[in-house]
Amino acid sequence: MSYNKVEAVREKSDAEKLILSNDYVAARTKLKKAQQLFPALDHIAPMLTVCEILSASTNIIPGYETDYYWVLQLMPSSNLTDITSQYQKLVSLLQPIKYKFPATELALKLLHEAYSVLSDKKKRVTFDIKRGISWVNYESFELNPNAISDNNGDKVHVNNILQESGSSSSDVVSEGHKGQDMDINSVSGTLKGVLKRVEQDYYGFDSFRTHECFELRDIWAVHCCLREPFIGGRYGQICKKSGGEIEVTWLKPIPVTEGERRWFDAGLPVACGSFCLDTETNGIIASKGVFSYKCSWDSGVTEELFEIYPKKGEVWALYQDFDLEEWSYNPDVIQDCSFKPFEIVSDYSIYTGVECCPLVKVNGFKSIFERTEGENVILHVGPRDLYMLAHNIPAYRFTGGEIDGVRNGMFELDQLALRNSSQEPEDSTVAKEKEPEFVDPTPGPDSTVLGPNWSVNDFTTGQVWSVYTGKDLMPRQYVVINSMISPTRLSATVLEPEPVPDMDPSWKNRNFPIVCGMFRAKETVLNFDLSQLSHSVNCYKSMSASVYKIFPLKGEVWAVFKNCKSGFNRLNYDNYKCWVVEILSDFSEGEKMMVARLVEVKGCLTFYERLQGEDGFEMVRGFSRREMLCFSHRIPAFRVPGIGGHGIPESSWHLEPVALPPPNT
């Protein structure tokens, strides 16, 4: 640890030299490395912010020296309240290092200049006009949509996409790269001929999702669960390819309004806006059936900023009955929502938003859509309602003649991106299997003296127990007791987790712990010392099969992975940290299970009490069914009557020391 600190200080010193030479991006890279080496390095967060502000100041607007929205890290649609709040937040962050870190005074000056312009109505209007003109005048790549070869196996170049001649290729909306604008109306005769030979009535979008299509640094839309309605609502940058797996660095949205912040904090998907690379959260994904499409994006001030907005001619899914405020406060509503496909009919504007036209399915086809006919069908989505756009839908625009009954301007939409939450995959055996009937749990033996003090009398055939396993020896393995084979050893059958809806299959494939859900007794029988058993599990047992339902119960204490929701991977698990929580309500379908955060009583290593915020309220939150993978293990715990006389809160819990997760330091 001391070595890491020394290295971190050295990186910080290098960053200071780079700042003095005006190389702000390289300085930020040095500081990020210092942060990784020693996260507790003094003032690392404000130093990084200084680099970000100075980097943003290099984005020049004609008539001004700086793009003030970038300096304040705001969207142009921000209101005065957002601007003032962000300005005060950044000034408060930088003030303590004003005379300690080079160029901090310059960063504070830039913040003041930005606020003085954006907080003044007249100045802001003038600035916005000049800013808008400067963006419009930016040059784009030259496209050559007519370049195409013959059928001799040479490369075919259509709208900057290279494909093999003679393959089932086409002009696909959403396929692209940095700075690319797709000409979706241009399709060569060769490609038409290919489509005519296709016997099915849909275009093969999977040909653009083969393993060979993934290149390092590409941005891809990813859906993590086929049953969720927000397919494609998460983005990742390809950072490594290995076999059939792809490793990505997740993109993190940059919310602007308070409602958007609540939306993001609730873990809801964000498909539009500004994004940055979240270098601390990588994910390993099987390349087949998980990726949706390669994204078109515009670069931000630095290499780690990405702008993703709808473009004219694309097809997007829009949430029906969208309500940002309600959904951000009650995120479970999104599970029952639906969406409809819309064609984007205008490019996105930071001032007016975007316009779109609803699409309806063409009779006789599974996945071909056309514009809705009639007056007043155009829907306007303002800049502050962009979260209404659920995800981009890969689409092929027909020019007429490819398939009988299909006219120019109709779309073939990717079915993978049209599946709603109510639509289960056809091969889903879990959804079709009727859930067995369960009997209520029977409490096992309890002990008010923690530790490995079990005796033969505590065990009965058929009981379910938790066993200490893994390199960290936490109680995450469930077994069913068969018989005692000696006074200190017993025989038990191992329970294996069953696949359930909403569970990421890669979690089990990578041997990550699963402690909640359905479990089945398999053929594996092992012998255990009594000291290896942690606690009896109160669970529901099937009346007709060896299936057990195990979820946290009210009054229990559990450990919860801190970083489970933001791209859990092997590195996260090997270095995991946990919160300790008290279960306040039993798990039930359709409702969140409420928990209260527990923290160590000061000076008492094994006593924990409920955490209270600055306002005096306890820190309470809910977990839905799809968040059950966040639970690490149950911690045996009990309350000690009369403990208040020893200066320890009477309501505190005494926890089993052996089952306590690693400290959060």
Side-chain angles (χ1 to χ4, degrees):
M1 182 63 72
S2 60
Y3 170 78
N4 285 350
K5 184 175 181 180
V6 171
E7 288 297 307
V9 172
R10 183 177 291 117
E11 295 292 337
K12 174 193 168 186
S13 178
D14 291 343
E16 291 175 343
K17 295 175 183 177
L18 289 168
I19 284 181
L20 293 175
S21 62
N22 299 328
D23 193 347
Y24 308 130
V25 175
R28 184 182 183 278
T29 301
K30 288 287 184 181
L31 289 175
K32 290 294 291 184
K33 185 175 181 180
Q35 186 181 42
Q36 294 171 357
L37 288 168
F38 192 72
L41 188 66
D42 290 343
H43 305 302
I44 186 64
M47 289 188 291
L48 283 167
T49 302
V50 168
C51 292
E52 290 163 0
I53 292 172
L54 295 177
S55 296
S57 68
T58 61
N59 187 22
I60 304 301
I61 297 298
Y64 292 86
E65 294 184 357
T66 305
D67 187 337
Y68 294 132
Y69 288 112
W70 285 112
V71 170
L72 288 175
Q73 301 172 8
L74 290 170
M75 288 289 292
S77 57
S78 304
N79 58 30
L80 181 58
T81 302
D82 298 325
I83 293 170
T84 302
S85 175
Q86 180 72 351
Y87 169 71
Q88 293 174 346
K89 173 185 174 182
L90 293 175
V91 169
S92 299
L93 182 65
L94 301 191
Q95 202 65 41
I97 63 168
K98 183 176 181 180
Y99 302 110
K100 299 179 180 179
F101 190 68
T104 302
E105 289 184 89
L106 176 58
L108 287 167
K109 180 182 177 182
L110 288 167
L111 289 175
H112 178 72
E113 291 177 356
Y115 181 69
S116 66
V117 171
L118 299 183
S119 62
D120 185 286
K121 188 174 182 179
K122 293 183 179 180
K123 291 181 181 179
R124 183 178 180 183
V125 169
T126 303
F127 174 77
D128 284 347
I129 293 173
K130 292 186 177 182
R131 184 180 187 274
I133 293 174
S134 70
W135 281 107
V136 169
N137 288 336
Y138 277 3
E139 294 183 359
S140 60
F141 290 109
E142 291 292 334
L143 303 180
N144 183 13
N146 299 316
I148 186 164
S149 72
D150 54 21
N151 292 320
N152 296 325
D154 295 332
K155 296 289 184 178
V156 180
H157 184 216
V158 180
N159 289 347
N160 287 355
I161 302 176
L162 292 176
Q163 299 291 343
E164 291 291 341
S165 177
S167 67
S168 179
S169 60
S170 171
D171 197 9
V172 180
V173 182
S174 300
E175 187 71 21
H177 56 78
K178 175 179 175 182
Q180 176 175 317
D181 295 321
M182 303 298 298
D183 180 5
I184 59 176
N185 295 308
S186 176
V187 182
S188 71
T190 301
L191 297 179
K192 288 183 180 180
V194 173
L195 280 177
K196 288 180 181 179
R197 295 192 295 270
V198 178
E199 296 179 357
Q200 297 171 310
D201 65 346
Y202 60 90
Y203 173 74
F205 292 95
D206 285 341
S207 62
F208 290 93
R209 293 190 283 255
T210 62
H211 191 74
E212 293 75 19
C213 294
F214 300 101
E215 299 292 341
L216 296 183
R217 298 183 67 80
D218 282 349
I219 303 295
W220 279 78
V222 181
H223 59 83
C224 296
C225 180
L226 293 178
R227 295 173 178 84
E228 295 180 352
F230 37 85
I231 298 171
R234 192 174 190 189
Y235 301 110
Q237 184 180 60
I238 308 297
C239 59
K240 186 178 180 181
K241 295 171 59 176
S242 177
E245 292 186 332
I246 305 292
E247 184 173 352
V248 302
T249 299
W250 296 114
L251 266 63
K252 181 171 63 176
I254 303 176
V256 176
T257 67
E258 190 60 37
E260 291 175 354
R261 292 188 188 98
R262 287 194 304 270
W263 181 283
F264 171 67
D265 291 341
L268 297 177
V270 179
C272 295
S274 297
F275 298 81
C276 64
L277 283 174
D278 190 353
T279 55
E280 297 180 356
T281 57
N282 285 18
I284 299 176
I285 304 171
S287 59
K288 185 176 181 180
V290 178
F291 290 92
S292 180
Y293 62 91
K294 186 169 70 173
C295 298
S296 170
W297 52 273
D298 295 311
S299 61
V301 177
T302 69
E303 292 184 356
E304 295 180 354
L305 287 179
F306 305 86
E307 303 287 339
I308 300 177
Y309 292 102
K311 291 182 172 63
K312 183 178 180 179
E314 294 179 339
V315 176
W316 281 70
L318 270 66
Y319 290 116
Q320 300 301 291
D321 303 317
F322 176 77
D323 189 325
L324 176 65
E325 294 300 318
E326 179 184 352
W327 293 13
S328 62
Y329 278 114
N330 186 19
D332 280 347
V333 172
I334 201 172
Q335 297 303 310
D336 300 320
C337 76
S338 61
F339 55 76
K340 291 184 178 180
F342 282 73
E343 177 189 353
I344 306 300
V345 297
S346 71
D347 286 326
Y348 171 76
S349 166
I350 59 176
Y351 306 106
T352 60
V354 69
E355 291 185 339
C356 48
C357 178
L359 300 177
V360 293
K361 187 178 293 186
V362 177
N363 290 333
F365 294 96
K366 180 180 179 181
S367 55
I368 296 180
F369 288 71
E370 63 180 342
R371 283 193 186 185
T372 302
E373 296 181 356
E375 299 180 357
N376 302 321
V377 296
I378 300 298
L379 175 67
H380 176 257
V381 180
R384 301 182 72 83
D385 294 319
L386 276 182
Y387 282 22
M388 181 189 298
L389 285 89
H391 59 271
N392 188 318
I393 302 177
Y396 165 77
R397 183 195 290 269
F398 292 101
T399 59
E402 294 93 343
I403 300 175
D404 290 340
V406 175
R407 302 188 306 272
N408 178 31
M410 290 183 176
F411 288 96
E412 171 63 30
L413 304 186
D414 185 2
Q415 283 293 302
L416 189 64
L418 286 175
R419 186 178 290 119
N420 272 314
S421 57
S422 59
Q423 295 175 283
E424 299 291 346
E426 295 179 358
D427 60 351
S428 173
T429 57
V430 177
K432 297 178 182 178
E433 181 180 351
K434 183 179 179 180
E435 186 174 290
E437 296 183 3
F438 291 87
V439 297
D440 291 339
T442 302
D446 197 8
S447 173
T448 56
V449 180
L450 300 177
N453 60 338
W454 305 116
S455 67
V456 174
N457 298 328
D458 293 319
F459 301 97
T460 304
T461 299
Q463 287 180 337
V464 177
W465 280 72
S466 183
V467 179
Y468 292 106
T469 57
K471 68 177 185 179
D472 57 350
L473 292 177
M474 290 292 112
R476 299 194 183 103
Q477 178 69 66
Y478 299 127
V479 299
V480 179
I481 305 300
N482 295 328
S483 61
M484 299 297 302
I485 57 178
S486 77
T488 59
R489 290 176 65 79
L490 55 76
S491 171
T493 301
V494 175
L495 294 182
E496 296 290 343
E498 291 282 283
V500 295
D502 300 325
M503 187 182 81
D504 181 359
S506 65
W507 189 278
K508 182 179 179 181
N509 295 339
R510 284 177 273 166
N511 294 320
F512 291 159
I514 300 175
V515 296
C516 298
M518 301 291 188
F519 296 81
R520 187 182 296 272
K522 297 296 179 71
E523 299 178 355
T524 304
V525 177
L526 300 175
N527 297 331
F528 298 93
D529 291 332
L530 299 191
S531 61
Q532 291 179 261
L533 282 83
S534 170
H535 58 273
S536 175
V537 178
N538 296 326
C539 60
Y540 296 85
K541 184 181 185 301
S542 168
M543 299 176 62
S544 57
S546 299
V547 178
Y548 300 81
K549 186 190 320 185
I550 302 176
F551 286 101
L553 298 176
K554 182 179 179 180
E556 294 179 343
V557 175
W558 283 68
V560 178
F561 290 118
K562 289 179 63 176
N563 50 359
C564 168
K565 292 180 65 178
S566 57
F568 207 64
N569 55 34
R570 173 55 58 182
L571 179 62
N572 296 145
Y573 176 53
D574 291 341
N575 301 277
Y576 75 90
K577 304 295 181 184
C578 285
W579 284 308
V580 177
V581 300
E582 175 187 349
I583 310 301
L584 302 182
S585 63
D586 290 330
F587 171 81
S588 63
E589 296 291 347
E591 295 183 6
K592 284 195 172 184
M593 182 184 68
M594 304 306 296
V595 306
R597 174 95 179 273
L598 301 180
V599 293
E600 179 184 316
V601 176
K602 189 174 182 179
C604 304
L605 298 179
T606 60
F607 282 89
Y608 279 65
E609 62 179 340
R610 292 188 184 180
L611 174 64
Q612 294 187 343
E614 296 179 356
D615 54 5
F617 290 95
E618 295 173 345
M619 304 295 285
V620 177
R621 65 152 291 182
F623 282 85
S624 62
R625 180 189 181 99
R626 63 190 178 95
E627 296 176 300
M628 288 295 115
L629 289 176
C630 293
F631 283 83
S632 168
H633 61 277
R634 180 188 166 191
I635 306 174
F638 65 90
R639 287 193 168 100
V640 181
I643 196 67
H646 298 274
I648 299 175
E650 196 75 30
S651 61
S652 61
W653 290 90
H654 184 206
L655 275 54
E656 165 61 70
V658 183
L660 282 173
N664 292 323
T665 56

